[in-house]
Amino acid sequence: MAEKDERPEGEESAPKSGKKKLIIIIAAAILVLAAGGGAAFFFLMGGEESAEPAAPVQREAIYIKIRTLEGRPMFVASLENPGGNRHFMQIYAEAKTRDPQVEQIINQHMPLVVARLNTLFTTSDPNVLRNVDGIRALQNDATELVNRLVQDRGGEPGVEIVLFTNFVMQ
């Protein structure tokens, strides 16, 4: 006990203070390393995803047969060329979409879809439809027409293409 009295108070607290400082420094170093490791993980692993836009989830295609009121799956159009010759065209058409809401709108308004497409087909020039480019142009016009109709009925234009599954012209 005599030794205890001979030491000044500053010496007694110095060893304890040194241990506390050492523990605090070690704890701070561990925290800094953990934070650095977490940040590195976030930027290296999470950075790849945030650098590129997330790929949209690809939904399965929905094909909607465009049918007349009688349930016939085809259009029959009478065409007249500028020379006065009459031609007939038969088209089987399906709309391709990935949005169930678009499918619902098309099915709900099928008579209007059929009427508008019928008008488009009967006003086409048979001379233009004699080659593949003319048929593709008609197909693009049909796609735009159906998309406008869907949009007018409150949906998003989600028809990718109106496919002609059978096309006959004579």
Side-chain angles (χ1 to χ4, degrees):
M1 289 227 176
E3 293 178 14
K4 198 174 192 186
D5 292 335
E6 292 178 14
R7 280 190 197 164
E9 287 184 22
E11 286 183 23
E12 181 182 12
S13 63
K16 287 184 181 178
S17 156
K19 287 182 183 179
K20 286 182 185 178
K21 284 182 183 177
L22 183 62
I23 291 174
I24 290 173
I25 290 172
I26 292 173
I30 290 173
L31 284 175
V32 168
L33 289 174
F41 177 78
F42 176 78
F43 287 116
L44 293 176
M45 296 303 197
E48 291 176 13
E49 294 173 14
S50 63
E52 297 176 14
V57 176
Q58 189 72 11
R59 291 191 242 169
E60 202 165 310
I62 301 169
Y63 296 95
I64 307 149
K65 290 189 184 297
I66 300 176
R67 301 181 175 276
T68 61
L69 293 175
E70 297 85 30
R72 292 182 304 170
M74 64 188 164
F75 292 87
V76 177
S78 174
L79 308 173
E80 189 173 327
N81 67 7
N85 295 333
R86 190 155 290 285
H87 299 274
F88 292 96
M89 177 172 60
Q90 180 184 36
I91 299 175
Y92 287 77
E94 293 188 28
K96 178 184 175 185
T97 184
R98 296 182 191 279
D99 187 355
Q101 182 186 11
V102 171
E103 177 187 23
Q104 180 183 359
I105 290 171
I106 290 174
N107 284 327
Q108 182 179 356
H109 299 285
M110 187 64 74
L112 184 58
V113 171
V114 169
R116 298 260 175 97
L117 286 176
N118 224 359
T119 302
L120 175 70
F121 296 153
T122 56
T123 58
S124 298
D125 183 1
N127 293 328
V128 173
L129 297 175
R130 291 185 188 258
N131 61 39
V132 175
D133 292 334
I135 295 171
R136 285 192 182 135
L138 181 64
Q139 191 176 29
N140 290 336
D141 291 344
T143 302
E144 289 175 19
L145 188 142
V146 174
N147 270 327
R148 272 193 315 252
L149 191 140
V150 168
Q151 193 171 13
D152 290 346
R153 299 298 175 248
E156 291 294 318
V159 175
E160 293 177 24
I161 191 166
V162 172
L163 298 166
F164 295 160
T165 55
N166 193 356
F167 184 92
V168 179
M169 191 173 86
Q170 59 179 28

